[in-house]
Amino acid sequence: MILLRSTLTALLISLLLVSCNAANNTAKIEQQRSLLLFGTLIEISLYGVAPALAERAFAQLETEFARWHQNWSPWTDGELAQLNRALSHGQSFTVDPELATLIREATDLSARSQRLFNPAIGNLVNLWQFHRADEKDIQPPNASRITELVAMQPEMSDIKIQGDQISSSNPAVQLSLGAFAKGYAIDIAIEQLRRLGIHNTVINAGGDLKVSGQHGERPWRIGIRHPRQPGVLGWLDVQAGESVFTSGDYERFYMYQGKRMHHILDPRTGYPSTGFSSVTVLHNNAGLADAAATALMIAGPQHWQEIARAMDIHAVMLVDATGTIYLSPAMAARVHLSAGDARTLVSEPL
Ligand code: ADP
Ligand code: MG
């Protein structure tokens, strides 16, 4: 009897150990899925999730990202493309509530950025054709066409949103969400994972990312690319709930008569911005970080603090054409710079 009891106890203990180990193993498991969408590689990492739940989450996000790509890109035949067609004919168009919300948020951010982030300049973006930047003999568009499009002053404030019905008082408005949609999608995706009970995640879209919860025992460390040299300018540890977004003039560009023609356009001139060569924003809201990184590229050394304050950005690093690094104090406290001889200026608190 005693023997039997001790055997039973041993059996129970070993069963308990097995289940503890299984729980520990799940806690340590990192599962990844990559999607080639939004013009980049989107890597979704989940920590401590049972394989069946992870599979369900990956399938859901794959469907969602593909749907967002289809509906929010001007290059597909999806909702945004149809909306743009209607707007160019002075007609209104009813969109999905999801796209209506996105357009409302983009309108708000555009106003806060003093229209430097201006997703209404789709015609200019289209004219520049930066998706062809790798082709030989590519040239900037005709100067008079650029002047013409700028003179039409397409702005988000031209758009009227009544419920889900969108119209524009300016037929020159064409929406191009490339500076914002990726961040916005990542925020929603992280929220969807949370609703599935998955709290420890990283979604990384080509170096622009959001971290939620814990990443195993280590923080998520991200390198910030040097805009002019191979390698990194520095690195920072991204904490739970934070996103880091970088915009740069080295991502999609070509050289023309010694000038760098890159894909971030100054809506006031219609030409590529000249303010900074790269801007890295740290913020809890990925959509905001994405839009702000683009706006601050254009704001330049004279105006970046004003625009950052208006957009509620506290932690930002900016690199100008001479290689000088500008840091807000909140970013200076977080970033570890490796570029030894670069001139570094820390601003007043934002
Ligand atoms: P990436 O998407 O490469 O990370 P950004 O977030 O800075 O870079 O977005 C750049 C894209 O945004 C461009 O390719 C273009 O489609 C669009 N764009 C360019 N200039 C502006 C602007 N001033 N405001 C809003 N969108 C812009
Ligand atoms: Mg952006």
Side-chain angles (χ1 to χ4, degrees):
M1 194 60 201
I2 288 168
L3 187 72
L4 187 62
R5 194 175 290 157
S6 62
T7 313
L8 256 179
T9 312
L11 191 68
L12 268 176
I13 287 172
S14 65
L15 273 176
L16 262 173
L17 279 176
V18 168
S19 67
C20 276
N21 276 339
N24 274 340
N25 285 341
T26 307
K28 285 184 186 142
I29 292 178
E30 169 178 350
Q31 291 172 92
Q32 275 191 339
R33 183 67 49 89
S34 301
L35 314 171
L36 203 54
L37 285 166
F38 280 66
T40 187
L41 190 72
I42 302 174
E43 285 173 320
I44 306 165
S45 309
L46 312 178
Y47 300 90
V49 181
L53 179 58
E55 213 33 63
R56 197 179 137 204
F58 288 139
Q60 179 173 324
L61 289 196
E62 195 162 348
T63 308
E64 289 291 72
F65 272 104
R67 196 171 58 80
W68 294 326
H69 178 86
Q70 166 75 7
N71 285 340
W72 302 347
S73 162
W75 316 114
T76 63
D77 57 354
E79 247 193 329
L80 189 78
Q82 292 170 43
L83 169 64
N84 276 341
R85 220 171 300 134
L87 295 183
S88 70
H89 292 110
Q91 295 162 356
S92 63
F93 188 81
T94 301
V95 297
D96 192 273
E98 195 175 37
L99 180 55
T101 306
L102 187 163
I103 294 172
R104 265 192 212 97
E105 294 205 11
T107 304
D108 175 52
L109 289 172
S110 182
R112 285 165 66 189
S113 75
Q114 297 182 12
R115 298 176 302 283
L116 297 182
F117 163 65
N118 182 356
I121 60 166
N123 278 331
L124 267 173
V125 171
N126 200 9
L127 186 69
W128 276 91
Q129 300 263 307
F130 280 108
H131 58 278
R132 295 178 49 226
D134 289 339
E135 288 177 22
K136 257 194 2 201
D137 305 330
I138 183 161
Q139 292 191 5
N142 189 293
S144 60
R145 185 71 187 126
I146 295 174
T147 313
E148 223 172 85
L149 289 181
V150 172
M152 289 179 189
Q153 301 188 337
E155 282 171 11
M156 294 307 281
S157 55
D158 295 326
I159 294 179
K160 290 197 181 39
I161 312 172
Q162 288 164 308
D164 301 328
Q165 199 184 55
I166 316 284
S167 61
S168 165
S169 53
N170 181 349
V173 166
Q174 289 285 283
L175 294 177
S176 179
L177 303 171
F180 174 55
K182 201 165 57 185
Y184 187 77
I186 289 177
D187 281 326
I188 306 182
I190 296 264
E191 179 56 26
Q192 288 197 4
L193 291 173
R194 204 185 56 77
R195 272 193 244 124
L196 287 172
I198 303 175
H199 298 280
N200 301 317
T201 62
V202 179
I203 302 186
N204 183 351
D208 291 334
L209 59 90
K210 180 161 187 165
V211 172
S212 140
Q214 301 300 314
H215 158 236
E217 272 126 43
R218 297 161 291 136
W220 186 274
R221 181 162 294 180
I222 177 167
I224 300 163
R225 201 176 134 176
H226 195 297
R228 291 292 178 270
Q229 294 163 20
V232 296
L233 260 185
W235 54 269
L236 60 86
D237 285 337
V238 191
Q239 289 163 8
E242 291 180 336
S243 7
V244 178
F245 273 70
T246 298
S247 279
D249 66 7
Y250 52 84
E251 288 178 45
R252 235 173 303 152
F253 75 98
Y254 57 90
M255 297 305 286
Y256 180 74
Q257 295 182 343
K259 281 200 182 139
R260 182 176 286 257
M261 300 294 165
H262 67 92
H263 71 142
I264 296 165
L265 300 174
D266 185 333
R268 301 164 299 189
T269 64
Y271 282 83
S273 66
T274 52
F276 289 113
S277 47
S278 91
V279 174
T280 301
V281 171
L282 177 75
H283 196 279
N284 281 2
N285 183 319
L288 173 58
D290 195 354
T294 308
L296 292 169
M297 276 290 290
I298 305 161
Q302 297 300 319
H303 297 289
W304 71 268
Q305 296 183 53
E306 180 191 338
I307 302 296
R309 285 196 186 101
M311 297 189 84
D312 190 35
I313 301 299
H314 302 282
V316 58
M317 172 166 114
L318 317 93
V319 186
D320 75 8
T322 68
T324 298
I325 302 173
Y326 300 71
L327 294 166
S328 67
M331 182 61 101
R334 294 286 299 276
V335 73
H336 300 261
L337 293 176
S338 40
D341 54 353
R343 197 162 80 104
T344 306
L345 302 171
V346 180
S347 73
E348 295 289 307
L350 296 175

